[in-house]
Amino acid sequence: MSSAIDRIKGQFLVRRILQGILKTGRLATAYLFAGPEHTGKKFAGFQFGKAINCERGGCEECQTCIQIEKGIHPDVRLITLEPDKKEISIELMRDVQKEAFLKPCLARFKVYIIEEAHTLSEEASNSLLKILEEPPEHTIFILTTSSPQGIFPTVASRCQKVRFVGTTTEDSEDLAKRENEILQFMGPEGIESFRNLRDMAGSRNDSIKIIDAFLIWYRDVLLLKEGAADGIFLKQMRENLQECANKYCAEFLIQMLKRILDARYQLANYVNPVLVMESLLVDLNHLKAQGI
Ligand SMILES: [Zn+2]
């Protein structure tokens, strides 16, 4: 288990996805960390940089981890908007383009964290696209953004997406208060029955509450599946959660969670809530039919 990844707080699914990547060792050339502001996307980028470069998977103690933490590791570089500029300039990306093809100085991988990548200028985006079309083997790009629709689609399509959620869905104090509210959305068998959800999806806010209930439900199921029962929030539903955990494998639950997060993003981007919920329910039922 990577200490560096464990330090990414409030983002259970992100941690799980990144740990999954480390476990398989199948790295993509580019990742897009998308989510609201102040959800720790840049921090997560550095932590992932440690995890893939540290010999102990992100120990937080070795020279590599310490240098990355301090921002002085020669192979892990932050690309960000310069002060008083509105765009990340082509000049900056030209530097990156030259460097990216050189071998790393010390580490296994060169890592470029491009902060708020929707601020890349058109030329800079094209320059990045060129790199991603024929990527150097030893270089990884992590783009972060709070405005994913502002990223060039051709760039976004070459990135593996990792969704960050606003902290409200994971803040434990907030959740404890909301447990009863969440339970109201569920039938006696838990959210698995999808009871009345379609009818309740009238307003955007109600839809977001329902989607958060889904997220919490499947998050808890995944925790039980992995033997971390202490961390579950819906303690009153423990038996139902366990029943659900017995039915599905962890990979399948992660697929469900990813699909639910997509729906949450659609809602945040003002897609019609009834459409979002309907297509979510269809997809979840479809996944369930395939996945057991
Ligand atoms: Zn280390």
Side-chain angles (χ1 to χ4, degrees), residues 182-191 193 195 213-214 217 234 237:
I182 292 164
L183 290 172
Q184 282 174 14
F185 290 127
M186 302 182 187
E189 307 90 43
I191 208 153
S193 64
R195 187 159 301 174
F214 267 114
W217 173 267
L234 301 172
M237 302 295 280

Side-chain angles (χ1 to χ4, degrees), residues 216-277:
I216 291 156
W217 173 267
Y218 285 109
R219 171 194 178 283
D220 278 1
V221 172
L222 188 56
L223 282 173
L224 279 180
K225 186 91 204 160
E226 298 187 336
D230 287 351
I232 66 169
F233 285 119
L234 301 172
K235 297 197 192 310
Q236 299 175 49
M237 302 295 280
R238 169 82 187 254
E239 276 178 32
N240 307 81
L241 290 164
Q242 188 62 55
E243 208 176 294
C244 187
N246 295 342
K247 263 197 286 187
Y248 306 122
C249 72
E251 275 317 304
F252 168 77
L253 290 167
I254 290 169
Q255 288 304 320
M256 297 280 272
L257 281 161
K258 280 183 177 166
R259 179 61 188 87
I260 297 163
L261 275 177
D262 280 343
R264 203 174 191 285
Y265 271 79
Q266 288 167 350
L267 283 176
N269 286 309
Y270 297 97
V271 180
N272 179 315
V274 176
L275 290 182
V276 172
M277 291 308 287

Side-chain angles (χ1 to χ4, degrees), residues 54 58-62 65:
C54 163
C59 67
E60 300 284 9
E61 285 164 1
C62 68
C65 286

Side-chain angles (χ1 to χ4, degrees), residues 27-30 52 75 96 99-104 108-112 131-132 135-141:
L27 289 175
T29 299
I52 59 177
D75 295 314
V96 172
E99 267 182 29
F101 287 90
L102 303 174
K103 288 233 161 72
R108 287 169 61 207
F109 296 100
K110 273 182 184 294
V111 179
Y112 291 96
I131 309 175
L132 297 183
E137 260 176 38
H138 48 259
T139 302
I140 308 275
F141 290 89

